Amino acid sequence: MDNKQPKSILFVDDEESILSVSSEYFQRQGYRTLTAKSGVEALKILEHQSVDCCFTDINMPEMNGLELAEKIRIADNTMPVIVMTGFPSLENTIQTIKNGVVDFLIKPVNLKQMELSVQRVIQQRKLFVENVLLKKEVESKRRLEKLNQELLYKVEELNILNKIMSKFEAISSSTDVFKRAVDMALDMVDADLTNFYVINETIQEPVEVSFAAAGQRRGSTASLASEIVPGMPRTLHLESPETFKSALIMEVVSDQIPLLIAENPGTNGLPRNINSAMIVPLKIRETVFGVLTAFVIQGTKRFAEKDLYYLSFLAQSAAHAIENLALYENIYENLFATLYAFVKAVEARDLYTQQHSSRVTGLSLILGQHLGCSKEELDTLNFAGHLHDIGKIGIRDDILLKPGRLTSEEFEKIKDHPVIGANILEQLGLWEQERHIIRCHHERFDGSGYPDGIKHRKIPFLARILSVADVYDAMASDRAYRKKMEDEVIIKIINEGVGTQFDPDVVAAFNKAYKEGEISQYMETGKIN
Ligand SMILES: [Fe+2]
């Protein structure tokens, strides 16, 4: 508040003489004065003028001084109002204080007394206003701090949520999702133990599929069921497994609402050594198929709403990941089935090549096993084997089904089928590795094959396997232009091709499998040991 500016005082009184005397006196003291003959007039002045202090008589027609004080207080609670009355009463005094009047002067009022009162109330007002401003500043500072805190919390939350989502991207199997969910849950909510249960539909019971324990090894329950995890209460499931599983988990499964037991009361079926617990459902299209659980077993940590929120988000992300995997696997299988139907259609055109792709696949798998292929490689072989000749769909029947020898021109056409096959898969944008194997299944080890004439290790290993299986089956089955060949002759031809047409390692594996009778048995029964 600027002290150099003259303070303005408003005098309200229905007695003209009092107004003029007071006004004159205060002007001489350096104040700016305003006068009103009634409360109504005073309020009008206050609407447009800046006033530092108001003197008012109590007994006035229309609106008395106390009513005026009340109205002023409502409009501006920092405005000091001093009332003057000739007949003070207890009732009036109390009312005056209630109405926020800061001083009370008894008539006849001494002008000097009025001046002292003005000085005091203006000083008080200054302090009051400063105080209000200060308070506002403190408040806004506090609010800022709170907002800042909220912001930090939101950023942290966003980071955690992002972390959850990115961890579930690029996951290729449901087992991975289960494992990752328990690991992440353990770190995220600072639990001692987390478990993933899948709900068995037939027996309506939760089956634990993975767990993670703080500071211990993590894994799938099946492989660890008999192990004792030091320091960790696997007794969790032993103490009251039925109550625990059936009552709590199935309750969450049926009402689909996440459960938080911040402090274990020891009466709800939870073993007493559990201090705090959370159980959240995993839903795919409104159906619960599993639950994620988290427990605090030692220490002072207790789960809070925030932890439940994170765990629920994690569970939902895991559910999405599983749903996507299921969808993907479904699409993948459908597409494969469609493509294989094409292959069957091609084979059906030629009586002699029926089941060729299926047999080549079986033989490739036998060789792959002998050569120590991984499960993923065998899956790839299975896929590529079934579809290796899919490109023949693009070859005209009169060439494809021609009995007898092909002209070199016709043979050139036939030679297009690995490229056509690879292109079909390329258009689907899937199965890059399989596509490459299909393209290379007629390459020869010494580089004299087609379509690219690549050699040795440039030819994918699985294509080198497929090549031996393909040639063996072609010779071991009847064709339009010849009868099937004798096994001894075929073995001889294949071994003559070592290093030129075939990879020596693959032929070695073939010889071994043949000696062990696996090849003949497969050709007769269609079954692999
Ligand atoms: Fe082929």
Side-chain angles (χ1 to χ4, degrees):
M1 208 169 279
D2 194 348
N3 289 325
K4 282 171 193 165
Q5 272 225 333
K7 300 294 175 200
S8 304
I9 305 171
L10 173 63
F11 297 95
V12 191
D13 206 307
D14 54 343
E15 275 181 57
E16 193 98 37
S17 60
I18 290 186
L19 288 179
S20 59
V21 170
S22 320
S23 189
E24 209 173 295
Y25 175 81
F26 276 91
Q27 278 175 13
R28 279 207 304 273
Q29 305 305 316
Y31 291 91
R32 183 170 155 262
T33 59
L34 298 152
T35 57
K37 273 179 264 169
S38 70
V40 178
E41 204 185 322
L43 289 173
K44 269 190 194 142
I45 291 171
L46 286 171
E47 270 177 36
H48 307 288
Q49 304 273 345
S50 157
V51 170
D52 296 295
C53 177
C54 176
F55 277 99
T56 179
D57 184 20
I58 283 196
N59 297 314
M60 292 184 293
E62 289 179 78
M63 185 189 292
N64 73 33
L66 294 179
E67 283 172 288
L68 175 65
E70 163 83 17
K71 288 201 158 67
I72 291 175
R73 188 180 62 84
I74 291 167
D76 175 5
N77 69 349
T78 69
M79 164 80 66
V81 178
I82 301 162
V83 293
M84 300 174 292
T85 179
F87 315 97
S89 69
L90 185 63
E91 197 190 321
N92 266 357
T93 314
I94 291 170
Q95 192 61 39
T96 318
I97 293 162
K98 268 191 182 169
N99 287 8
V101 169
V102 293
D103 210 352
F104 202 83
L105 301 177
I106 298 159
K107 280 182 174 179
V109 181
N110 165 334
L111 287 166
K112 189 65 196 165
Q113 204 183 354
M114 280 174 80
E115 194 189 351
L116 286 173
S117 182
V118 164
Q119 283 169 352
R120 197 175 67 242
V121 299
I122 287 184
Q123 181 59 25
Q124 279 172 352
R125 183 188 189 205
K126 189 176 163 226
L127 287 175
F128 178 71
V129 169
E130 277 173 1
N131 216 348
V132 166
L133 288 176
L134 192 72
K135 217 169 139 193
K136 273 187 185 153
E137 201 181 321
V138 170
E139 249 170 42
S140 77
K141 210 172 158 191
R142 219 177 268 152
R143 193 165 151 64
L144 207 67
E145 272 169 17
K146 199 169 164 242
L147 281 175
N148 215 8
Q149 195 55 46
E150 272 171 26
L151 193 71
L152 283 178
Y153 176 74
K154 285 275 169 210
V155 168
E156 185 202 342
E157 182 182 306
L158 205 65
N159 279 337
I160 291 176
L161 301 188
N162 270 338
K163 199 169 139 196
I164 294 175
M165 288 197 287
S166 64
K167 288 263 179 176
F168 283 117
E169 279 168 14
I171 262 183
S172 57
S173 78
S174 304
T175 320
D176 279 349
V177 176
F178 301 147
K179 279 190 194 142
R180 213 163 291 188
V182 289
D183 282 352
M184 283 176 74
L186 195 76
D187 297 337
M188 197 158 291
V189 300
D190 198 15
D192 291 321
L193 181 67
T194 52
N195 319 64
F196 201 121
Y197 293 89
V198 171
I199 306 307
N200 184 318
E201 277 182 13
T202 28
I203 53 170
Q204 279 295 304
E205 261 206 15
V207 178
E208 191 189 54
V209 289
S210 67
F211 77 92
Q216 307 291 333
R217 60 178 294 191
R218 301 159 182 204
S220 300
T221 308
S223 62
L224 284 164
S226 57
E227 287 182 37
I228 294 161
V229 184
M232 289 312 299
R234 297 296 291 155
T235 50
L236 172 65
H237 307 297
L238 304 175
E239 200 170 304
S240 63
E242 290 321 307
T243 332
F244 171 63
K245 282 183 185 172
S246 309
L248 284 178
I249 296 186
M250 292 319 286
E251 202 177 294
V252 170
V253 170
S254 77
D255 63 19
Q256 309 201 354
I257 296 166
L259 176 72
L260 167 66
I261 300 169
E263 188 74 54
N264 179 17
T267 52
N268 51 11
L270 263 188
R272 283 177 193 278
N273 60 346
I274 290 173
N275 296 329
S276 195
M278 294 191 285
I279 304 174
V280 300
L282 276 87
K283 287 187 270 186
I284 290 183
R285 291 186 197 139
E286 299 312 306
T287 305
V288 178
F289 72 93
V291 293
L292 191 55
T293 59
F295 303 101
V296 173
I297 290 145
Q298 47 208 5
T300 51
K301 156 99 187 179
R302 295 293 178 269
F303 293 131
E305 291 283 332
K306 194 174 102 175
D307 297 312
L308 191 69
Y309 171 65
Y310 285 147
L311 198 69
S312 301
F313 186 86
L314 201 153
Q316 217 34 60
S317 299
H320 281 312
I322 289 168
E323 189 180 10
N324 284 342
L325 278 174
L327 282 177
Y328 182 76
E329 272 162 20
N330 205 6
I331 291 168
Y332 181 94
E333 273 166 24
N334 276 338
L335 210 49
F336 176 78
T338 310
L339 292 174
Y340 190 49
F342 277 126
V343 173
K344 302 291 269 182
V346 174
E347 288 179 351
R349 291 192 294 180
D350 180 356
L351 204 65
Y352 296 101
T353 60
Q354 275 179 19
Q355 303 294 321
H356 167 69
S357 299
S358 158
R359 282 194 308 267
V360 168
T361 305
L363 292 166
S364 299
L365 292 176
I366 291 172
L367 300 184
Q369 281 167 358
H370 275 276
L371 289 160
C373 286
S374 66
K375 178 166 183 313
E376 285 74 27
E377 286 173 320
L378 293 176
D379 282 347
T380 304
L381 260 184
N382 185 35
F383 183 99
H386 277 106
L387 300 185
H388 77 279
D389 273 344
I390 192 171
K392 284 189 176 166
I393 202 162
I395 312 291
R396 293 202 323 262
D397 275 6
D398 58 316
I399 299 175
L400 195 66
L401 307 178
K402 183 182 173 184
R405 292 226 160 261
L406 297 170
T407 65
S408 60
E409 213 174 58
E410 286 165 344
F411 189 57
E412 285 305 310
K413 287 271 181 239
I414 290 274
K415 279 163 73 177
D416 284 341
H417 81 272
V419 175
I420 296 171
N423 286 348
I424 289 172
L425 293 198
E426 194 174 358
Q427 277 162 23
L428 298 169
L430 291 167
W431 305 303
E432 201 180 335
Q433 205 189 346
E434 288 82 348
R435 200 161 79 205
H436 197 44
I437 294 164
I438 290 170
R439 186 181 175 99
C440 298
H441 80 274
H442 283 291
E443 296 291 357
R444 294 165 65 110
F445 198 64
D446 62 2
S448 63
Y450 61 87
D452 302 308
I454 49 175
K455 63 177 175 180
H456 301 158
R457 286 178 176 274
K458 287 268 165 68
I459 307 167
F461 181 52
L462 301 181
R464 284 179 257 150
I465 295 176
L466 196 64
S467 162
V468 173
D470 190 20
V471 170
Y472 173 83
D473 184 70
M475 293 191 284
S477 46
D478 293 328
R479 288 289 150 115
Y481 47 92
R482 60 155 171 76
K483 281 269 164 204
K484 69 173 175 187
M485 298 158 76
E486 293 299 324
D487 261 2
E488 296 85 75
V489 181
I490 303 174
I491 303 301
K492 193 167 167 275
I493 292 174
I494 286 180
N495 279 279
E496 278 168 3
V498 166
T500 50
Q501 187 168 1
F502 305 119
D503 179 338
D505 292 342
V506 179
V507 175
F510 176 85
N511 288 335
K512 190 162 177 279
Y514 188 82
K515 270 195 197 116
E516 287 168 12
E518 284 176 74
I519 305 284
S520 318
Q521 189 201 326
Y522 175 73
M523 294 301 277
E524 280 162 29
T525 65
K527 282 183 188 128
I528 303 173
N529 277 341

